[in-house]
Amino acid sequence: MSNTMYNKMWHQTQEALGALLDKEPQKMVEPQRNQVFIFQTLATFYIKYVQIFRNLENVYDQIVHPQKRILIRKVLDGVMGRILELKNEMVELELTEFHYFDDILQDLKLAPQQLDIPIPKYFLKEKLEVIKGREKILAQILADSGIDTSEMKFPVKSMPFDQAVKLIQIAERARQGRLRALFMKQIYLQEYRAKQSKTLGKKVTDTWAAALCIQKVWRRFHQCKKTEKLREEEMIFLGMNPPPLFNEVSATVIQAEKVDRLRNEVQMKHEEDYREALVTIKNDLKLIEGLDIKENLQDQIRHWFIECRNLTGTFPDYPDIEEGGSAIIFSNKTIQQEEDEKWKMSPSLFLPVMKEGCNAYKEIWMNKDESWNFSQDFDPELIKEEKRKELESEIRVQVDELMRQELKNLKLAVDREREHPAKVGKKKKKGKKGKKKEKKTKKDKDLTADRTIESLYKELVEEGLLIQALKVNLSDYIGEYSYLGTTLRQVSIEPMPSLLDVRQLITLYGIWPLGSAAVHEKAPLVKSLLLAGPSGVGKKMLVHAICTETGANLFNLSSSNIAGKYPGKNGLQMMLHAVFKVARQLQPSVVWIEDTEKTFYKKVPNAEKTNEPKRLKRHLPQILKLLKPDDRILIVGTTRRPFDAELQSFCRVYQKIILVPRPDYASRYVLWKQIIERNGGVLTSALNVSCLAKVTDGFTQGHIVKVVKAVLTDQRIRRQIHKPLTAVEFITAITSMDPVYKEEEESFKNWYAKTPLGKKRALAITGGSTEKAKDKGKRKE
């Protein structure tokens, strides 16, 4: 796609965003009591913002103009924040983390796939060097301390010389035996054919009869192939089968990917040129226009002296540096008052950001003639405008010093006045305030003030508290949409969330805030997240995916991992201090607590008492209170037995609880197909994937991966050409595994119904009023 196409795409998206920003306040101000109407309004805006975000993210990733990218980035962060605000409003309105938009998508003529929320590529692209550097340091520390992961994966066992010789002899004899058997088989077949030709020689004398026999066989074979082809064409026509070469990557796509890579290189070059230009253009302006700016400022200030003298009869007092100097005299202050919204929706912190971005787009880029800038390099005139203001503020400081002295001389020469002593008192007061602030900061104790971050980082790695995250993308968490959500809710049945619903929540609550500092500071703050579900549904994988997609550090504070480390009260305090100090300095960071129910045990089992699993129970709520909006740290807990935990303290720590279900039929169908293909399997008509998905009801992603890896050995992959894969092979392998039974899934649902949000939802369904439910929920909390 060319530069003009991406520019056109940007202009269209900006227009759509402008229209949405004009429409949103009108809709939100209208007072409404109908909950269904309110949800549909929120959901419609949410879906439209997601579409705008998808386009803007694509444009920001591919557009090469550096100054345009600055504006797009600002708007992009604003849209992300607004999506999170709308999501928070929908959660409070419907009292559930999962929402279904089937009917709205139908009205907007959108496919459910268009609701998928992409992860901005700039999260990793803009700090790729930092992440690579950190990975090298981590690998080096692990290698030096003898905890090298590569050695753990592939251990090399030493073997005595005699045993090695014996193994080689056995292998050689086996090879010779196979060759001998093959040779003997060939001799046997030769003799067999000779005997057959002697006995049948008399019968096959008639050449016409032989030719007829061959024709019959050939025609039958030819007709079978023709029928198969016709059937396949019919299935393709009906849309039951994909067309040929459907899954193969076309040459056009390969070329497009190549162009994207080249565009990224151009983008980086233009970015470097722009940074250099910021310095050089400012220096040039200083030389050329610096003196003129200085003289103009002095003339303005002198004119102000004379005006004040003429009006009041005395010279004015010169504003202090703290007040802004002479800039405060010429600034026009305008107070913008926003109208109070009649509807109870909380005010947005991102709407002003987006409006500001849209206004900047209209003023600068909307009707700008760029026919001269075919390569989409930086615009020097815009840099000059920006740097003139910067240069003026720097020169103003120098001018203020001179003009302050000039005013003093004028007062002495003309009015014989002396400076008013009132200012001295003000300065003293400010000094006192500064001292008070210093005292406050001294109260915060730094237990490791004498140590560097590098030394703490190394210690945590050696202790196994800071671990290497697995390279797993969120897109590897395969699943399908739930198409019956709205229908089930209309008949008061709460559906189990689909795997893609879970994936979206991980993006919204985990990846977006950790990836963008601007979003994390202003969006509804999520400090902690709990993933609850049976084993094998991909909870750990999601934790590692959050780290991979954002380049975050991964700290493991699981009860089994911290057992015996940093003993005693002081030791625990030191451990938590070191972990969160490093997490803050090297943010974003994820603090993972595996089997987190153990930290909140109702009753600790005798076998685990020595490990002290409840060490963190009292400290976690205190840590959460200390986390601020500018700390991009997320505490993630994973549990397969949440019912063993004390519910009240458990829910006090984890703000957001996500139920991770076993895969439904649609998700299993997609899982089987993709996992077989990823492990070298070839899908043919002989393999009934639909049957596999139906039979494996209750089995998790973990089960499916294990089965596929067990069946698809190197030998089986090689034999696929002659013997295609069948469903029976996989079904035979899965029979030895235990599925997740419906009773277990129900126990998770029942447990979730006891959580604060679950209680509110249940009360809303039975009572029919969300307001009553909210009140009751708050009282019980």
Side-chain angles (χ1 to χ4, degrees):
M1 202 184 276
S2 63
N3 287 327
T4 50
M5 285 299 289
Y6 278 110
N7 275 322
K8 191 179 178 183
M9 191 176 174
W10 177 42
H11 290 308
Q12 287 172 347
T13 309
Q14 281 288 164
E15 282 172 23
L17 180 62
L20 199 60
L21 289 172
D22 292 338
K23 197 176 179 183
E24 193 179 340
Q26 295 169 10
K27 285 276 182 185
M28 295 306 181
V29 164
E30 292 170 12
Q32 281 291 334
R33 288 186 181 180
N34 187 346
Q35 189 181 324
V36 176
F37 181 83
I38 294 166
F39 175 74
Q40 285 190 333
T41 307
L42 286 169
T44 306
F45 281 118
Y46 174 83
I47 292 163
K48 285 181 178 178
Y49 274 118
V50 168
Q51 301 317 303
I52 287 165
F53 171 75
R54 285 165 70 90
N55 291 335
L56 271 181
E57 198 277 322
N58 194 12
V59 169
Y60 180 72
D61 184 55
Q62 289 299 310
I63 213 160
V64 294
H65 198 299
Q67 287 150 306
K68 285 179 184 176
R69 292 185 84 243
I70 292 165
L71 178 61
I72 295 164
R73 170 67 179 274
K74 186 181 181 180
V75 177
L76 187 67
D77 285 343
V79 173
M80 283 164 71
R82 188 64 188 138
I83 289 168
L84 290 172
E85 285 178 339
L86 288 167
K87 173 69 182 176
N88 190 52
E89 289 295 328
M90 288 191 291
V91 170
E92 286 184 9
L93 185 74
E94 281 211 311
L95 303 169
T96 176
E97 297 290 354
F98 302 98
H99 314 289
Y100 301 100
F101 314 112
D102 314 348
D103 47 347
I104 301 163
L105 287 171
Q106 201 172 348
D107 293 341
L108 295 170
K109 294 179 182 175
L110 294 171
Q113 286 75 17
Q114 287 171 289
L115 204 62
D116 198 17
I117 299 163
I119 297 157
K121 296 174 194 76
Y122 80 80
F123 284 2
L124 294 177
K125 272 171 88 175
E126 290 182 8
K127 53 180 180 180
L128 201 61
E129 288 177 18
V130 176
I131 293 164
K132 281 182 179 177
R134 204 185 292 162
E135 281 177 357
K136 278 182 184 176
I137 294 162
L138 184 59
Q140 189 62 47
I141 294 166
L142 289 168
D144 293 344
S145 57
I147 323 167
D148 194 1
T149 49
S150 58
E151 284 180 14
M152 287 165 71
K153 283 180 184 175
F154 307 105
V156 179
K157 291 180 182 178
S158 58
M159 189 183 288
F161 181 75
D162 296 341
Q163 198 178 343
V165 169
K166 198 174 180 181
L167 272 174
I168 293 164
Q169 284 176 342
I170 290 163
E172 180 58 25
R173 281 171 191 154
R175 189 186 69 81
Q176 287 178 9
R178 282 195 296 272
L179 284 171
R180 198 180 294 110
L182 188 69
F183 182 64
M184 293 301 291
K185 189 182 179 183
Q186 285 172 351
I187 293 167
Y188 169 75
L189 286 169
Q190 251 180 335
E191 288 175 357
Y192 179 75
R193 285 192 199 107
K195 280 179 186 177
Q196 287 287 100
S197 60
K198 279 178 185 178
T199 53
L200 298 170
K202 295 170 185 178
K203 292 179 183 178
V204 193
T205 50
D206 191 356
T207 52
W208 289 102
L212 189 67
C213 188
I214 292 163
Q215 281 175 357
K216 279 179 183 178
V217 172
W218 167 248
R219 280 174 182 166
R220 181 178 175 277
F221 172 77
H222 183 68
Q223 189 58 44
C224 283
K225 285 284 176 188
K226 194 178 177 183
T227 308
E228 275 180 27
K229 194 179 178 183
L230 285 167
R231 180 173 172 75
E232 198 174 318
E233 284 173 2
E234 187 186 4
M235 294 296 273
I236 291 164
F237 175 74
L238 293 168
M240 300 293 284
N241 281 353
L245 307 174
F246 180 73
N247 294 320
E248 287 188 21
V249 181
S250 68
T252 315
V253 174
I254 294 163
Q255 181 61 25
E257 285 174 358
K258 191 180 176 183
V259 171
D260 284 356
R261 284 195 295 273
L262 289 168
R263 192 184 292 281
N264 286 332
E265 288 171 18
V266 173
Q267 195 181 81
M268 286 168 74
K269 187 183 176 298
H270 284 193
E271 203 75 47
E272 283 172 20
D273 293 345
Y274 173 67
R275 286 199 204 100
E276 286 172 15
L278 287 172
V279 178
T280 53
I281 288 173
K282 186 181 177 182
N283 291 336
D284 292 344
L285 280 171
K286 200 170 188 177
L287 287 168
I288 299 160
E289 299 180 18
L291 284 168
D292 291 339
I293 292 167
K294 191 175 181 180
E295 284 173 13
N296 287 336
L297 286 171
Q298 285 177 325
D299 289 344
Q300 281 178 358
I301 294 162
R302 283 193 192 106
H303 186 67
W304 173 62
F305 291 166
I306 294 157
E307 272 190 353
C308 287
R309 179 84 170 78
N310 292 338
L311 289 167
T312 60
T314 56
F315 286 110
D317 292 329
Y318 209 94
D320 290 338
I321 299 164
E322 290 85 357
E323 289 172 353
S326 59
I328 201 167
I329 304 159
F330 306 105
S331 64
N332 296 318
K333 292 180 184 177
T334 55
I335 299 162
Q336 290 182 352
Q337 291 181 343
E338 289 184 11
E339 289 181 12
D340 294 330
E341 292 178 358
K342 293 176 186 176
W343 188 46
K344 287 182 180 178
M345 185 175 174
S346 51
S348 172
L349 297 170
F350 291 95
L351 280 173
V353 176
M354 288 189 286
K355 282 174 185 172
E356 197 181 318
C358 283
N359 291 336
Y361 161 76
K362 284 172 186 174
E363 287 169 17
I364 301 165
W365 300 108
M366 192 174 176
N367 300 311
K368 192 174 179 66
D369 179 25
E370 288 191 278
S371 54
W372 62 273
N373 193 6
F374 179 74
S375 63
Q376 288 291 288
D377 210 339
F378 64 85
D379 188 338
E381 290 304 316
L382 287 174
I383 296 175
K384 281 178 185 176
E385 281 178 34
E386 185 189 327
K387 290 297 166 186
R388 270 194 197 100
K389 290 172 186 174
E390 202 176 296
L391 191 64
E392 191 180 309
S393 63
E394 286 175 13
I395 292 170
R396 191 181 288 279
V397 175
Q398 298 167 11
V399 170
D400 282 352
E401 287 290 321
L402 294 168
M403 298 311 290
R404 206 173 269 115
Q405 190 60 43
E406 194 174 308
L407 181 63
K408 197 186 284 183
N409 295 338
L410 275 168
K411 284 180 179 181
L412 287 166
V414 180
D415 294 337
R416 303 286 176 191
E417 291 178 358
R418 289 188 180 183
E419 278 194 302
H420 208 275
K423 287 182 184 177
V424 183
K426 281 182 185 176
K427 284 182 182 177
K428 280 181 183 177
K429 281 180 184 177
K430 281 176 186 173
K432 283 178 185 177
K433 281 181 184 177
K435 282 179 184 177
K436 279 182 184 177
K437 280 183 183 176
E438 280 176 18
K439 281 180 184 177
K440 279 183 183 177
T441 51
K442 281 177 187 176
K443 284 180 184 178
D444 301 327
K445 287 182 183 178
D446 188 353
L447 301 173
T448 54
D450 56 332
R451 293 185 62 182
T452 60
I453 289 293
E454 288 77 14
S455 68
L456 288 170
Y457 184 89
K458 191 180 178 184
E459 186 185 311
L460 291 172
V461 173
E462 287 169 351
E463 289 289 341
L465 298 177
L466 203 162
I467 61 170
Q468 200 163 21
L470 300 171
K471 296 277 180 184
V472 182
N473 293 316
L474 193 66
S475 57
D476 295 331
Y477 191 75
I478 306 157
E480 189 51 273
Y481 289 90
S482 173
Y483 296 95
L484 290 170
T486 308
T487 313
L488 289 169
R489 278 196 175 163
Q490 281 170 356
V491 291
S492 299
I493 297 170
E494 190 60 26
M496 276 301 276
S498 73
L499 299 186
L500 283 195
D501 290 332
V502 171
R503 195 166 91 181
Q504 280 194 358
L505 287 186
I506 294 295
T507 306
L508 292 170
Y509 294 151
I511 295 169
W512 275 12
L514 284 179
S516 172
V519 171
H520 195 276
E521 280 176 30
K522 294 179 182 177
L525 190 60
V526 177
K527 298 178 183 179
S528 55
L529 195 64
L530 176 68
L531 305 176
S535 58
V537 291
K539 299 184 294 295
K540 290 176 198 171
M541 180 188 174
L542 289 169
V543 174
H544 287 282
I546 293 170
C547 298
T548 305
E549 297 289 4
T550 56
N553 296 294
L554 182 59
F555 298 87
N556 187 353
L557 291 187
S558 308
S559 58
S560 57
N561 192 46
I562 62 169
K565 295 171 186 177
Y566 295 91
K569 219 178 218 182
N570 294 334
L572 182 63
Q573 199 177 350
M574 178 62 79
M575 179 187 79
L576 291 171
H577 168 77
V579 165
F580 283 92
K581 186 178 179 179
V582 174
R584 275 193 184 91
Q585 289 290 322
L586 306 175
Q587 55 184 277
S589 298
V590 171
V591 178
W592 175 35
I593 306 170
E594 191 183 4
D595 295 329
T596 188
E597 79 282 349
K598 292 181 179 180
T599 310
F600 302 92
Y601 263 143
K602 292 173 187 173
K603 190 181 178 183
V604 181
N606 293 328
E608 292 183 43
K609 276 183 180 177
T610 51
N611 292 338
E612 294 180 274
K614 293 173 81 170
R615 281 178 83 190
L616 294 177
K617 187 182 175 181
R618 289 181 185 175
H619 297 273
L620 282 174
Q622 294 166 7
I623 290 163
L624 282 169
K625 282 177 186 175
L626 293 170
L627 291 179
K628 295 169 187 174
D630 56 344
D631 296 327
R632 281 187 291 151
I633 300 168
L634 182 69
I635 297 171
V636 184
T638 56
T639 175
R640 55 185 173 180
R641 291 197 59 81
F643 2 89
D644 293 348
E646 190 188 320
L647 190 67
Q648 202 173 0
S649 52
F650 203 39
C651 295
R652 203 180 294 131
V653 167
Y654 293 107
Q655 282 177 277
K656 296 285 181 185
I657 299 170
I658 300 173
L659 217 56
V660 186
R662 58 183 189 171
D664 56 5
Y665 170 79
S667 293
R668 287 196 304 277
Y669 184 83
V670 177
L671 274 161
W672 275 112
K673 283 179 79 172
Q674 291 201 26
I675 292 168
I676 287 168
E677 284 180 328
R678 286 183 187 188
N679 285 276
V682 178
L683 299 172
T684 61
S685 54
L687 179 62
N688 192 339
V689 182
S690 180
C691 169
L692 264 180
K694 191 75 178 168
V695 170
T696 53
D697 184 16
F699 289 94
T700 63
Q701 298 95 309
H703 289 130
I704 294 168
V705 170
K706 277 181 189 174
V707 167
V708 171
K709 284 183 176 176
V711 172
L712 292 178
T713 57
D714 293 339
Q715 189 182 0
R716 185 67 188 90
I717 290 165
R718 286 196 297 271
R719 287 174 59 213
Q720 281 182 104
I721 304 162
H722 309 292
K723 190 184 176 183
L725 292 168
T726 59
V728 178
E729 295 175 71
F730 296 100
I731 290 164
T732 308
I734 211 163
T735 49
S736 59
M737 297 179 184
D738 290 324
V740 176
Y741 294 104
K742 210 169 184 179
E743 290 78 12
E744 190 177 344
E745 196 176 64
E746 285 298 318
S747 64
F748 276 98
K749 273 179 117 176
N750 294 336
W751 171 80
Y752 186 76
K754 293 172 187 174
T755 62
L757 197 66
K759 276 182 187 176
K760 290 177 189 178
R761 177 73 188 165
L763 283 165
I765 292 165
T766 53
S769 170
T770 53
E771 286 176 17
K772 286 178 186 176
K774 280 179 186 176
D775 294 338
K776 285 178 185 176
K778 278 175 188 174
R779 282 172 199 163
K780 283 181 183 180
E781 280 172 35

